[in-house]
Amino acid sequence: MKNVKIKEILYTEAEIQAKVKEIGEKIKQDFEGEEVVLICILKGSFIFTADLARCIGDNATIDFMEASSYGDSTVSSGNVRILKDIETDVSGKHVILVEDIIDTGNTLAFLRKMFEKRNVKSVSIATFLSKPARRTIYIEPEYVGFNIPDEFVLGYGMDYAEKFRNLPYIATAEFID
Ligand code: IMP
Ligand code: MG
């Protein structure tokens, strides 16, 4: 495992909160008078989901799911394993998959397809960050906080070897061997 340190702050706590509010407002408008289920994709999106849920108001419920990509990481297999599924019956409901960051797109492409088969009213994706240059599969998230270049980032739920998730800001990482 490499040593890592914080290189540069990309988004401050205030910038993050302003953007979350903006996304929350959009979701509120788009689903006015409708029930939505926010599905937090663990672990990275636990903080974004908590903040977003509080911007949306009382027509949102929350559930949790954990998925992990497996196989040779140099090959984009698209294979995703469900480590924890939701407990909510989502049939007939609007579902929003909440993610911290989209990289290759494999995780969310898989999850979107999976939810489409569960007789939901709609499936949307809300991701705080996206790295479009890294995409190996087509995926068009409905709600994106920021598009960022191909750099590894930490904080606001995102980790390296389980560390740095609790940083209140988002920073780029510097790897030291
Ligand atoms: P994807 O299936 O390749 O899109 O993988 C997305 C997942 O990889 C995210 O939910 C994160 O858990 C992780 N990930 C991707 N890029 C980063 C990063 O820059 N920092 C931390 N985690 C990342
Ligand atoms: Mg994640």
Side-chain angles (χ1 to χ4, degrees), residues 3 36-37 69 82 105 107-108 110 114 165:
N3 281 318
V36 295
V37 185
S69 301
I82 304 300
T107 309
L108 277 174
F110 178 91
M114 194 185 94
R165 293 193 195 276

Side-chain angles (χ1 to χ4, degrees), residues 41-45 67 98-102 107 157-159 165:
I41 316 295
L42 295 168
K43 299 177 189 166
S45 88
V98 184
E99 181 64 297
D100 49 352
I101 183 164
I102 304 182
T107 309
M158 291 170 285
D159 73 309
R165 293 193 195 276

